[in-house]
Amino acid sequence: MASLLVSLTEATQQQAGGKAAVLGALARAGFPVPPGFVVPIEVYRAETRGLDLAEVRGPDEVRRLIESRPLPSELVREVTEGVTRLGGDAVAVRSSASTEDTVGASAAGQHDTFLGVSGPGAVIERLPAIWASLWSMRAVAYRSAGAVAPEMAVIVQRHIDADVAGVLFTDAPGVLIEASWGLGESVVGGLVTPDSFSVSADGVVGRRTGDKGTRIDRRGNGTVTTAVPPESRRRLCLDDRQVIQLARLGQDVAAHLGGPQDIEFAVEKDRIWLLQARPVTAPLPQPDPTPADPRPASAADPQAAHTAGPAAGVAHLRGIAGSPGQVSGPARVVHGPEDFSRVGPGDILVCRFTDPAWTPLFSVVAGVVTETGGRLSHAAIVAREHRIPAVLGVPTAMTTLYDGQPLTVDGTNGTVHG
């Protein structure tokens, strides 16, 4: 009897979606990819056959519909055996949609991922959640312009207990790396302002220390966020040797895959692992020369971040150039989803950070300003895909800017004027 599962090393786009297919190709070529298997798209088709999910309101209802059908005993058995064969204390359970990680659309952060999942039973419980995340508000809003009906595979891989993790782009020019302590969710989610490194043929040519106030690590059957000790918040999390190793590995991946890549990585006990690779869907901002103000756009130095505050009626903030272009509009200070209804067309979204649930706002707002985050976070990637200027890592944004304040956001040079 044929197996319901697919080994990650045998994954193809058609059967396992974009993310798994690329990881499979890299694993076959000998790149350091954590071992795993895939619950293929065909299982999703079987479990959702006869359900008109496009007409269902929200992922919770989708999940209830899917969970109303017991999973086949053969699937439960094979997943249990697969998790056992992987060994280790925990696994990562990750989405791999048919329309994910393509040249035209990254779908960065739009579907669910569960890290630090312990035991086969917990893995099986998360399958319906990942299938249902294909129909979340954020995922539907992200692909609203597309006509392709997506399908979902699920990757199960050995969990990597990262000491440091992050993202690298091989099209910076050169190589750009952003990293922070712990698991990579801190970087991709924009929860911290990461350390940044620029690498050229001459070696490491740029280093910027971020403000890494928190870290995420595995604990129990999931993850936990803790504070980073003060002495490590503004200490570089990678040394030059590691940075050069990452840059060379990234360039090798790009050469193998045939184009510039957006790569997620983890460093565990000084060993580098590749967690994801996808085409770069939109170029990074290339700042204009600014001889009149030679200070770097650094969120690590609050004194360099602003020259005036709301008391003077004027703000001149500096942050990280996240998505190119310049736009003007009223500031809309948003603390959470409860404020979404106040956001209107042409507003400048001002927030601490944006997680994937905020994606629907990117089709409404004219620009984005965040207190934390880097150029390689999911928010920055989605902003570039939507062609929305964005300035990230402005530590005083939520206290310096006020609701309705006229702003001009320059996402090419990383400045905000009000």
Side-chain angles (χ1 to χ4, degrees):
M1 180 178 178
S3 173
L4 295 175
L5 306 182
V6 175
S7 169
L8 185 59
T9 57
E10 299 174 356
T12 65
Q13 171 79 33
Q14 183 176 9
Q15 67 184 174
K19 185 185 299 180
V22 174
L23 288 174
L26 293 176
R28 291 192 294 273
F31 287 95
V33 175
F37 62 86
V38 182
V39 182
I41 287 172
E42 183 54 43
V43 173
Y44 169 83
R45 289 177 186 153
E47 293 307 304
T48 59
R49 189 168 289 124
L51 301 177
D52 190 357
L53 300 182
E55 296 300 319
V56 177
R57 298 179 64 86
D60 290 341
E61 181 61 23
V62 170
R63 184 173 180 176
R64 280 193 290 271
L65 284 173
I66 294 173
E67 289 180 337
S68 69
R69 299 177 170 183
L71 293 177
S73 58
E74 184 66 15
L75 176 64
V76 172
R77 181 186 67 79
E78 289 195 23
V79 170
T80 299
E81 292 175 352
V83 172
T84 302
R85 283 194 299 270
L86 287 178
D89 297 326
V91 296
V93 186
R94 312 172 65 200
S95 68
S96 183
S98 57
T99 54
E100 192 170 2
D101 290 358
T102 65
V103 174
S106 66
Q110 301 311 306
H111 308 124
D112 281 353
T113 286
F114 297 96
L115 302 177
V117 181
S118 182
V123 172
I124 291 164
E125 288 177 0
R126 283 158 175 79
L127 296 180
I130 290 186
W131 292 332
S133 71
L134 195 60
W135 301 98
S136 66
M137 288 182 61
R138 66 180 187 261
V140 172
Y142 175 85
R143 64 175 183 262
S144 59
V148 177
E151 298 175 301
M152 180 68 80
V154 180
I155 306 170
V156 180
Q157 287 178 283
R158 184 171 78 79
H159 176 88
I160 302 299
D161 283 322
D163 302 304
V164 175
V167 184
L168 69 85
F169 266 37
T170 64
D171 185 35
V175 175
L176 175 67
I177 299 171
E178 291 187 340
S180 187
W181 306 113
L183 301 179
E185 297 301 287
S186 295
V187 177
V188 299
L191 303 176
V192 300
T193 300
D195 297 338
S196 179
F197 307 86
S198 299
V199 186
S200 75
D202 297 324
V204 182
V205 295
R207 305 168 191 81
R208 190 199 66 231
T209 307
D211 187 4
K212 307 172 294 296
T214 59
R215 60 180 290 160
I216 300 174
D217 297 281
R218 176 171 66 92
R219 181 179 297 176
N221 205 334
T223 61
V224 63
T225 301
T226 57
V228 171
E231 65 272 15
S232 296
R233 285 185 63 161
R234 294 189 173 91
R235 176 167 62 87
L236 291 174
C237 62
L238 294 170
D239 59 35
D240 282 4
R241 175 186 58 84
Q242 293 171 312
V243 170
I244 290 172
Q245 285 181 335
L246 282 164
R248 289 174 177 167
L249 184 59
Q251 289 169 328
D252 289 344
V253 170
H256 183 74
L257 297 177
Q261 295 294 306
D262 165 1
I263 299 169
E264 295 183 18
F265 66 87
V267 181
E268 180 188 44
K269 297 178 181 177
D270 205 35
R271 182 177 182 181
I272 297 172
W273 293 95
L274 299 179
L275 306 181
Q276 186 168 340
R278 57 187 169 214
V280 173
T281 54
L284 291 165
Q286 299 301 321
D288 300 325
T290 55
D293 186 0
R295 294 173 301 174
S298 172
D301 181 3
Q303 296 303 314
H306 63 89
T307 58
V314 177
H316 175 192
L317 308 181
R318 289 183 59 80
I320 298 168
S323 181
Q326 186 177 105
V327 68
S328 298
R332 194 62 58 213
V333 180
V334 174
H335 296 275
E338 67 276 9
D339 293 330
F340 284 6
S341 61
R342 297 194 298 104
V343 179
D347 284 351
I348 304 298
L349 173 63
V350 178
C351 54
R352 184 172 181 272
F353 64 90
T354 67
D355 66 28
W358 298 48
T359 298
L361 297 182
F362 282 67
S363 62
V364 177
V365 300
V368 178
V369 179
T370 69
E371 283 199 334
T372 62
R375 288 190 284 174
L376 307 187
S377 67
H378 288 159
I381 292 170
V382 174
R384 290 194 291 272
E385 291 180 346
H386 282 74
R387 295 178 173 81
I388 300 170
V391 178
L392 312 174
V394 181
T396 61
M398 296 290 283
T399 53
T400 303
L401 304 177
Y402 55 89
D403 214 48
Q405 177 183 7
L407 294 180
T408 297
V409 175
D410 184 343
T412 300
N413 295 298
T415 60
V416 180
H417 299 270

